[in-house]
Amino acid sequence: MSLSKEAQTELTRVAVFAGQILHQHGAESRLIEQTTQRIGLALGADNIELSVSPDAIVITSLSDGHCVTTTRRCFDRGINMQMVCEVQRICVMAEKQLLDVKDVKKRLKRLIPFKHNRWLVVLMIGFSCASFSHFFGGDRAAYWVTFVAAAVAMILRQELAHRHHNPFVNFAAAAFAATTITSFGVIFEAGENPQIAMAASVLLLVPGFPLINSVSDMLKGHINMGIARWVFATLLAISVSIGIVASMTLVGVSGWTS
């Protein structure tokens, strides 16, 4: 199918928009590459070449020997697999010829990240960290101290993220708050092993997803993206450590690090 210059340009913009959404919501690099190429080919391009970097995506479409190249900045919108799945669903529909370029563009623009109720998230984070404290051998007192500390840390994370504060500051502040609350449990001897609550209450801050994506990217040949995500996850972990150490130093409780 021969494409006009305008049609090829529009196809390229739609394809890069799909890749941008995937990039911004935490998809691994190989998935970004494959899905973007599939959408471009489904919409009529002869070939799609792209380059994924930590903060941008560059794409070139080829049709009848003509090339159209465009680039988009990719700002972090937070990990959201619902958005990734929706883009993949649109890709499959385009491959089955159920959607044309205009339909794909319209559906991509209509995508809205689904977010759970913030208080439900706070509740479940509190219970999950508290369950870890029980798993580590903590008693009922440690369980509830962990629950309160993790819930407060999550509320603080949400508030700072809503105000677009730096994620490293966000994680350090949340770790400081959680450790400070559990430190008072140690001071007032809440339960037999109150130090367990200090360790369990900060588990919500483990950057697991960025670490998994970084290893996945490096194993699949996207070394630059893998290293960038690894560095980002490492800096988040360092920020958490700074918050924990600052709280322990201020309160004077060594806790589980001793």
Side-chain angles (χ1 to χ4, degrees):
M1 181 177 64
S2 179
L3 295 174
S4 65
K5 179 71 172 180
E6 293 75 15
Q8 186 180 354
T9 301
E10 183 66 11
L11 178 155
T12 308
R13 289 173 177 170
V14 170
V16 78
F17 184 36
Q20 183 184 36
I21 293 174
L22 292 171
H23 193 306
Q24 290 176 328
H25 290 92
E28 64 176 43
S29 300
R30 184 60 176 162
L31 181 62
I32 298 171
E33 186 178 75
Q34 289 180 334
T35 305
T36 304
Q37 288 176 333
R38 288 169 58 192
I39 289 177
L41 295 175
L43 296 179
D46 294 336
N47 194 18
I48 295 290
E49 300 290 344
L50 72 152
S51 173
V52 182
S53 66
D55 60 354
I57 179 172
V58 181
I59 180 173
T60 298
S61 66
L62 294 88
S63 179
D64 293 332
H66 300 288
C67 300
V68 175
T69 301
T70 187
T71 183
R72 294 290 185 276
R73 285 290 304 274
C74 298
F75 300 99
D76 183 27
R77 305 292 186 190
I79 297 168
N80 194 314
M81 290 298 101
Q82 173 257 342
M83 291 290 286
V84 174
C85 291
E86 288 296 332
V87 173
Q88 289 182 289
R89 185 175 289 110
I90 293 171
C91 174
V92 172
M93 294 179 70
E95 288 179 325
K96 293 182 178 180
Q97 303 300 313
L98 299 175
L99 302 174
D100 59 15
V101 175
K102 291 182 179 179
D103 294 329
V104 172
K105 182 178 181 180
K106 188 183 300 182
R107 284 176 176 263
L108 289 173
K109 285 188 173 182
R110 283 209 309 253
L111 291 181
I112 299 175
F114 173 78
K115 295 183 180 180
H116 292 282
N117 181 280
R118 63 170 298 188
W119 298 111
L120 176 62
V121 173
V122 169
L123 184 67
M124 297 311 297
I125 287 294
F127 278 127
S128 63
C129 290
S131 297
F132 272 111
S133 73
H134 178 72
F135 178 76
F136 295 154
D139 54 15
R140 184 172 298 178
Y143 182 94
W144 289 112
V145 170
T146 304
F147 174 86
V148 172
V152 170
M154 191 63 207
I155 292 172
L156 182 59
R157 271 193 64 186
Q158 291 175 335
E159 290 298 322
L160 292 177
H162 180 69
R163 289 165 173 76
H164 305 289
H165 283 278
N166 186 289
F168 306 122
V169 175
N170 187 325
F171 271 58
F176 181 89
T179 305
T180 301
I181 293 172
T182 51
S183 294
F184 286 110
V186 175
I187 293 174
F188 294 108
E189 299 181 353
E192 296 181 1
N193 296 300
Q195 292 86 355
I196 291 176
M198 297 184 70
S201 64
V202 294
L203 290 179
L204 76 154
L205 302 172
V206 175
F209 204 94
L211 285 172
I212 293 172
N213 267 356
S214 67
V215 174
S216 177
D217 283 345
M218 286 188 280
L219 290 177
K220 294 177 182 178
H222 297 274
I223 304 300
N224 289 339
M225 279 292 291
I227 292 175
R229 284 174 164 169
W230 182 278
V231 171
F232 179 74
T234 301
L235 291 175
L236 287 178
I238 292 174
S239 300
V240 173
S241 301
I242 291 173
I244 293 172
V245 172
S247 174
M248 288 181 176
T249 303
L250 181 65
V251 179
V253 175
S254 57
W256 53 278
T257 60
S258 59

